[in-house]
Amino acid sequence: MIELYTWATPNGRKISIMLEECGLPYSVHKVDITKNQQYTPDFLKVSPNNKIPGIVDTDGPGGQPYACFESGAILLYLADKANRFLPADRARRFDAIQWLMWQMGGFGPMLGQTHHFVRFASEQVPYAIKRFSDETRRLYGVLDKRLGAVEWCGGAEYSIADIATYPWAARHEWHKIDLAEFPNVRRWYDQMGQRPAVKKGMSVP
Ligand SMILES: N[C@@H](CCC(=O)N[C@@H](CS)C(=O)NCC(=O)O)C(=O)O
Protein backbone atom coordinates (compact mmCIF):
# COMPACT_ATOMS: atom_id res chain seq x y z
CA MET A 1 0.00 0.00 0.00
CA ILE A 2 1.19 3.50 -0.85
CA GLU A 3 0.31 6.18 1.69
CA LEU A 4 0.09 9.41 -0.34
CA TYR A 5 0.45 12.76 1.41
CA THR A 6 -0.85 15.38 -0.96
CA TRP A 7 -2.87 18.49 -1.69
CA ALA A 8 -4.77 19.83 -4.73
CA THR A 9 -1.73 21.16 -6.57
CA PRO A 10 0.21 20.19 -9.72
CA ASN A 11 3.05 18.51 -7.82
CA GLY A 12 0.60 16.47 -5.77
CA ARG A 13 -1.41 15.43 -8.80
CA LYS A 14 1.62 14.04 -10.60
CA ILE A 15 1.65 11.28 -8.03
CA SER A 16 -2.08 10.53 -7.97
CA ILE A 17 -1.99 10.27 -11.78
CA MET A 18 0.97 7.89 -11.60
CA LEU A 19 -0.69 5.73 -8.94
CA GLU A 20 -3.86 5.55 -11.03
CA GLU A 21 -1.87 4.70 -14.18
CA CYS A 22 0.01 1.92 -12.36
CA GLY A 23 -3.08 0.59 -10.61
CA LEU A 24 -1.17 0.57 -7.33
CA PRO A 25 -3.38 0.59 -4.21
CA TYR A 26 -3.05 3.84 -2.29
CA SER A 27 -4.67 5.85 0.44
CA VAL A 28 -4.78 9.63 0.46
CA HIS A 29 -3.76 11.81 3.41
CA LYS A 30 -4.65 15.45 2.84
CA VAL A 31 -1.98 17.93 3.90
CA ASP A 32 -3.69 21.34 3.78
CA ILE A 33 -0.84 23.67 2.91
CA THR A 34 -3.14 26.69 3.35
CA LYS A 35 -3.32 25.72 7.04
CA ASN A 36 0.43 25.04 7.42
CA GLN A 37 -0.14 21.29 7.91
CA GLN A 38 3.09 20.73 5.93
CA TYR A 39 5.00 21.70 9.09
CA THR A 40 3.58 19.02 11.40
CA PRO A 41 6.24 16.71 12.87
CA ASP A 42 4.54 13.59 11.44
CA PHE A 43 4.55 15.00 7.90
CA LEU A 44 8.15 16.19 8.23
CA LYS A 45 9.17 12.57 8.86
CA VAL A 46 7.89 11.81 5.33
CA SER A 47 8.90 15.05 3.62
CA PRO A 48 11.67 16.90 5.49
CA ASN A 49 11.44 19.85 3.04
CA ASN A 50 7.89 20.57 4.31
CA LYS A 51 6.34 20.33 0.86
CA ILE A 52 3.82 17.95 -0.65
CA PRO A 53 3.86 15.39 -2.17
CA GLY A 54 5.35 12.63 -0.07
CA ILE A 55 4.71 8.91 0.05
CA VAL A 56 5.29 6.00 2.36
CA ASP A 57 5.42 2.62 0.68
CA THR A 58 4.41 0.20 3.43
CA ASP A 59 5.98 -2.59 1.37
CA GLY A 60 9.20 -0.88 0.33
CA PRO A 61 12.64 -2.35 -0.48
CA GLY A 62 13.32 -5.44 1.63
CA GLY A 63 9.66 -5.48 2.67
CA GLN A 64 10.30 -2.46 4.92
CA PRO A 65 8.35 0.81 4.91
CA TYR A 66 10.04 3.38 2.68
CA ALA A 67 9.39 7.14 2.72
CA CYS A 68 10.06 9.29 -0.34
CA PHE A 69 9.69 13.03 -1.04
CA GLU A 70 10.25 15.26 -4.14
CA SER A 71 7.74 14.50 -6.89
CA GLY A 72 10.40 13.57 -9.47
CA ALA A 73 12.01 11.07 -7.11
CA ILE A 74 8.58 9.65 -6.22
CA LEU A 75 7.75 9.17 -9.92
CA LEU A 76 11.07 7.37 -10.45
CA TYR A 77 10.46 5.23 -7.36
CA LEU A 78 6.97 4.23 -8.51
CA ALA A 79 8.13 3.60 -12.09
CA ASP A 80 10.79 1.30 -10.68
CA LYS A 81 8.35 -0.45 -8.35
CA ALA A 82 5.65 -0.99 -10.98
CA ASN A 83 8.09 -1.39 -13.87
CA ARG A 84 5.94 1.00 -15.92
CA PHE A 85 6.19 4.35 -17.70
CA LEU A 86 9.98 4.42 -18.02
CA PRO A 87 11.32 2.72 -21.16
CA ALA A 88 13.59 -0.30 -20.71
CA ASP A 89 15.92 0.77 -23.54
CA ARG A 90 18.68 2.89 -21.95
CA ALA A 91 18.71 5.71 -24.48
CA ARG A 92 14.92 6.00 -24.38
CA ARG A 93 14.92 5.75 -20.59
CA PHE A 94 17.36 8.63 -20.26
CA ASP A 95 15.43 10.66 -22.84
CA ALA A 96 12.42 10.37 -20.53
CA ILE A 97 14.54 11.18 -17.47
CA GLN A 98 15.96 14.28 -19.19
CA TRP A 99 12.45 15.62 -19.82
CA LEU A 100 11.40 14.71 -16.30
CA MET A 101 14.34 16.81 -15.04
CA TRP A 102 13.39 19.60 -17.43
CA GLN A 103 9.97 19.66 -15.82
CA MET A 104 11.39 19.47 -12.29
CA GLY A 105 13.93 22.24 -12.87
CA GLY A 106 11.97 24.57 -15.17
CA PHE A 107 8.39 23.79 -16.17
CA GLY A 108 7.22 23.77 -12.58
CA PRO A 109 9.38 26.14 -10.57
CA MET A 110 9.12 28.92 -13.18
CA LEU A 111 5.38 28.49 -13.70
CA GLY A 112 4.99 28.44 -9.92
CA GLN A 113 6.77 31.79 -9.68
CA THR A 114 4.50 33.19 -12.38
CA HIS A 115 1.46 32.03 -10.38
CA HIS A 116 2.87 33.69 -7.30
CA PHE A 117 3.55 37.08 -8.86
CA VAL A 118 0.49 37.17 -11.14
CA ARG A 119 -2.11 35.80 -8.68
CA PHE A 120 -0.94 35.84 -5.08
CA ALA A 121 1.69 38.52 -4.39
CA SER A 122 0.53 41.24 -2.01
CA GLU A 123 2.06 43.89 -4.26
CA GLN A 124 2.42 44.23 -8.03
CA VAL A 125 6.04 43.66 -9.06
CA PRO A 126 6.17 44.33 -12.84
CA TYR A 127 9.81 43.21 -13.15
CA ALA A 128 9.05 39.80 -11.58
CA ILE A 129 5.82 39.35 -13.54
CA LYS A 130 7.67 40.01 -16.80
CA ARG A 131 10.68 37.86 -15.89
CA PHE A 132 8.66 34.77 -14.96
CA SER A 133 5.96 35.22 -17.62
CA ASP A 134 8.67 35.47 -20.30
CA GLU A 135 10.37 32.36 -18.96
CA THR A 136 7.03 30.51 -18.85
CA ARG A 137 6.39 31.39 -22.49
CA ARG A 138 9.92 30.34 -23.45
CA LEU A 139 9.39 26.94 -21.76
CA TYR A 140 6.10 26.43 -23.64
CA GLY A 141 8.06 27.12 -26.83
CA VAL A 142 10.61 24.45 -25.90
CA LEU A 143 7.83 21.96 -25.13
CA ASP A 144 5.99 22.79 -28.34
CA LYS A 145 9.13 22.15 -30.40
CA ARG A 146 9.71 18.85 -28.59
CA LEU A 147 6.12 17.70 -29.11
CA GLY A 148 6.33 18.67 -32.77
CA ALA A 149 9.16 16.16 -33.16
CA VAL A 150 7.92 13.28 -30.94
CA GLU A 151 4.53 12.09 -29.70
CA TRP A 152 5.22 12.22 -25.97
CA CYS A 153 7.52 14.39 -23.82
CA GLY A 154 10.06 11.61 -23.37
CA GLY A 155 9.90 10.39 -26.98
CA ALA A 156 7.84 7.63 -28.60
CA GLU A 157 6.42 6.27 -25.34
CA TYR A 158 4.10 7.73 -22.72
CA SER A 159 6.20 8.12 -19.57
CA ILE A 160 6.64 9.80 -16.21
CA ALA A 161 7.89 12.88 -18.12
CA ASP A 162 4.32 13.37 -19.42
CA ILE A 163 2.82 12.63 -16.02
CA ALA A 164 5.07 15.28 -14.43
CA THR A 165 4.37 17.93 -17.05
CA TYR A 166 0.58 17.65 -17.51
CA PRO A 167 -0.68 18.96 -14.15
CA TRP A 168 1.38 22.13 -14.64
CA ALA A 169 0.07 22.66 -18.19
CA ALA A 170 -3.42 22.14 -16.73
CA ARG A 171 -2.91 25.47 -14.93
CA HIS A 172 -2.28 27.33 -18.23
CA GLU A 173 -5.00 29.85 -17.43
CA TRP A 174 -3.22 30.74 -14.18
CA HIS A 175 0.00 31.57 -16.03
CA LYS A 176 -1.94 33.23 -18.87
CA ILE A 177 -0.87 30.92 -21.67
CA ASP A 178 -3.24 30.35 -24.59
CA LEU A 179 -2.64 26.79 -25.80
CA ALA A 180 -3.86 27.81 -29.27
CA GLU A 181 -0.44 29.49 -29.66
CA PHE A 182 1.30 26.14 -29.03
CA PRO A 183 -0.46 23.63 -31.31
CA ASN A 184 1.79 20.66 -30.49
CA VAL A 185 1.29 21.21 -26.77
CA ARG A 186 -2.45 21.49 -27.44
CA ARG A 187 -2.47 18.15 -29.29
CA TRP A 188 -0.57 16.42 -26.45
CA TYR A 189 -2.64 18.15 -23.74
CA ASP A 190 -5.91 16.91 -25.27
CA GLN A 191 -4.50 13.38 -25.62
CA MET A 192 -3.40 13.41 -21.99
CA GLY A 193 -6.75 14.70 -20.79
CA GLN A 194 -8.54 11.74 -22.37
CA ARG A 195 -6.68 9.15 -20.31
CA PRO A 196 -8.95 7.77 -17.56
CA ALA A 197 -6.06 7.65 -15.05
CA VAL A 198 -5.22 11.29 -15.74
CA LYS A 199 -8.85 12.30 -15.20
CA LYS A 200 -9.00 10.37 -11.93
CA GLY A 201 -5.59 11.49 -10.69
CA MET A 202 -6.42 15.14 -11.36
CA SER A 203 -9.39 14.93 -8.98
CA VAL A 204 -7.25 13.86 -5.98
CA PRO A 205 -7.61 14.93 -3.23
N1 LIG B 1 10.30 20.19 -5.81
C1 LIG B 1 9.16 19.82 -5.02
C2 LIG B 1 8.21 20.99 -4.92
C3 LIG B 1 7.01 20.66 -4.07
C4 LIG B 1 6.16 21.89 -3.83
O1 LIG B 1 6.50 23.02 -4.22
N2 LIG B 1 5.03 21.67 -3.17
C5 LIG B 1 4.16 22.77 -2.82
C6 LIG B 1 2.76 22.53 -3.37
S1 LIG B 1 2.78 22.27 -5.13
C7 LIG B 1 4.06 22.88 -1.30
O2 LIG B 1 3.96 21.88 -0.62
N3 LIG B 1 4.11 24.11 -0.78
C8 LIG B 1 4.01 24.34 0.63
C9 LIG B 1 5.09 25.26 1.13
O3 LIG B 1 5.88 25.75 0.33
O4 LIG B 1 5.13 25.50 2.34
C10 LIG B 1 8.47 18.60 -5.67
O5 LIG B 1 8.45 18.55 -6.89
O6 LIG B 1 7.97 17.73 -4.94
Side-chain angles (χ1 to χ4, degrees):
M1 169 70 79
I2 306 291
E3 306 289 346
L4 169 62
Y5 296 82
T6 193
W7 190 239
T9 72
N11 288 320
R13 284 170 172 164
K14 294 174 188 176
I15 311 306
S16 41
I17 291 173
M18 180 64 172
L19 289 163
E20 291 292 339
E21 290 283 15
C22 294
L24 288 168
Y26 68 102
S27 64
V28 174
H29 305 265
K30 292 183 195 170
V31 180
D32 186 343
I33 61 175
T34 68
K35 295 189 177 141
N36 282 338
Q37 290 177 352
Q38 69 273 33
Y39 295 103
T40 60
D42 279 351
F43 179 63
L44 289 173
K45 284 183 203 152
V46 177
S47 181
N49 195 34
N50 63 264
K51 289 181 191 285
I52 64 95
I55 63 163
V56 176
D57 181 359
T58 57
D59 183 23
Q64 297 300 308
Y66 185 78
C68 190
F69 74 110
E70 279 293 326
S71 58
I74 298 170
L75 289 173
L76 286 165
Y77 178 84
L78 294 173
D80 180 73
K81 183 179 175 79
N83 201 17
R84 309 260 335 253
F85 307 118
L86 203 49
D89 172 84
R90 282 188 71 214
R92 286 174 171 221
R93 182 159 76 245
F94 279 96
D95 285 349
I97 290 172
Q98 285 183 55
W99 284 90
L100 172 69
M101 296 301 158
W102 172 84
Q103 187 288 310
M104 290 297 296
F107 198 87
M110 294 303 125
L111 277 52
Q113 292 299 323
T114 303
H115 295 171
H116 177 78
F117 285 105
V118 169
R119 291 178 68 95
F120 301 117
S122 53
E123 55 182 291
Q124 281 280 308
V125 189
Y127 178 86
I129 292 174
K130 178 168 174 13
R131 177 176 168 80
F132 293 114
S133 300
D134 285 355
E135 181 61 1
T136 295
R137 178 164 289 277
R138 186 192 69 79
L139 288 161
Y140 269 88
V142 172
L143 184 59
D144 198 61
K145 197 167 168 197
R146 173 70 175 162
L147 291 170
V150 290
E151 188 173 0
W152 300 102
C153 292
E157 293 168 53
Y158 177 67
S159 76
I160 54 175
D162 300 288
I163 294 172
T165 304
Y166 179 81
W168 281 100
R171 289 258 162 103
H172 56 272
E173 283 167 6
W174 283 31
H175 42 262
K176 300 192 186 304
I177 288 287
D178 180 357
L179 293 186
E181 291 178 50
F182 300 96
N184 301 307
V185 177
R186 172 95 255 175
R187 183 266 305 156
W188 163 87
Y189 182 80
D190 291 343
Q191 254 173 293
M192 289 288 299
Q194 284 163 20
R195 295 181 71 90
V198 170
K199 284 187 192 151
K200 258 185 121 177
M202 285 297 287
S203 65
V204 175

